[in-house]
Amino acid sequence: MGEQEASLEAFLQAWGNYPTGVSVVTSIEPDGSVHGMAANGINSVSLDPLLVLVSVGHNRNSYPLIKDAGRFAINILSGEQRAIASHYASPAERRSADFDVSFTFTENGAAFIDGSIASMDCRTVHEHVEGDHTIFIGAVERIDINDGEALAYCQGKFGRVVLDG
């Protein structure tokens, strides 16, 4: 392996070696149904005010939904939610219509995935277009926290975060 020229393949491999938590960003379709996408491009941005970001590819179905609605929810998945992560990591047209996910809706209409270890209802306050993605900055308006171990992803595999000590 070693030194390589920067390429899409090397870029994806390098980031694939970086362990991340697993989240599903939910948005609402015009007909009121829930749309979700698995995402590891999330981050906290500010403590005062409470701000987060999600990076969404312009080719993703979530992109126009978040852009038009100005809202999204981040659901940080538990180790028990691998099937949910796999479902939302698949392209929307290949997802099983029979797959059952239970949601709790906030007063703002955001979809929180039941059983997630944390969910945040966010109102978009800024958008930054960079390359083939837009970074949506969201003001966090509600947070639900539950017990559980975080689901992790690294080198193409799901796992659990194991804390030492």
Side-chain angles (χ1 to χ4, degrees):
M1 286 288 183
E3 187 176 326
Q4 296 183 40
E5 187 164 326
S7 67
L8 177 59
E9 181 181 288
F11 187 82
L12 293 172
Q13 185 178 3
W15 281 106
N17 286 334
Y18 181 65
T20 63
V22 181
S23 72
V24 171
V25 175
T26 54
S27 51
I28 305 301
E29 298 270 6
D31 67 3
S33 63
V34 177
H35 179 79
M37 71 167 199
N40 63 2
I42 64 168
N43 217 350
S44 63
V45 173
S46 171
L47 301 177
D48 186 17
L50 298 176
L51 298 174
V52 295
L53 70 78
V54 61
S55 180
V56 182
H58 297 150
N59 63 345
R60 300 293 299 261
N61 294 337
S62 295
Y63 172 73
L65 298 174
I66 294 171
K67 185 163 181 57
D68 293 346
R71 297 202 76 81
F72 58 92
I74 295 174
N75 298 275
I76 300 172
L77 300 186
S78 79
E80 305 299 319
Q81 294 178 305
R82 290 178 193 211
I84 292 172
S86 294
H87 175 76
Y88 286 114
S90 299
E93 60 276 4
R94 292 200 337 238
R95 294 178 189 166
S96 169
D98 298 339
F99 191 80
D100 189 29
V101 180
S102 177
F103 299 99
T104 296
F105 293 90
T106 70
E107 52 282 347
N108 293 319
F112 284 4
I113 297 173
D114 293 339
S116 297
I117 60 172
S119 296
M120 291 171 256
D121 181 355
C122 307
R123 176 181 43 83
T124 302
V125 293
H126 293 288
E127 299 175 21
H128 301 279
V129 176
E130 295 296 337
D132 60 358
H133 280 61
T134 291
I135 299 166
F136 293 98
I137 306 293
V140 179
E141 297 184 339
R142 175 177 162 177
I143 302 172
D144 286 6
I145 300 171
N146 298 298
D147 291 333
E149 295 177 338
L151 182 61
Y153 189 77
C154 186
Q155 298 179 347
K157 298 176 187 150
F158 291 112
R160 292 179 187 235
V161 174
V162 178
L163 302 176
D164 196 19

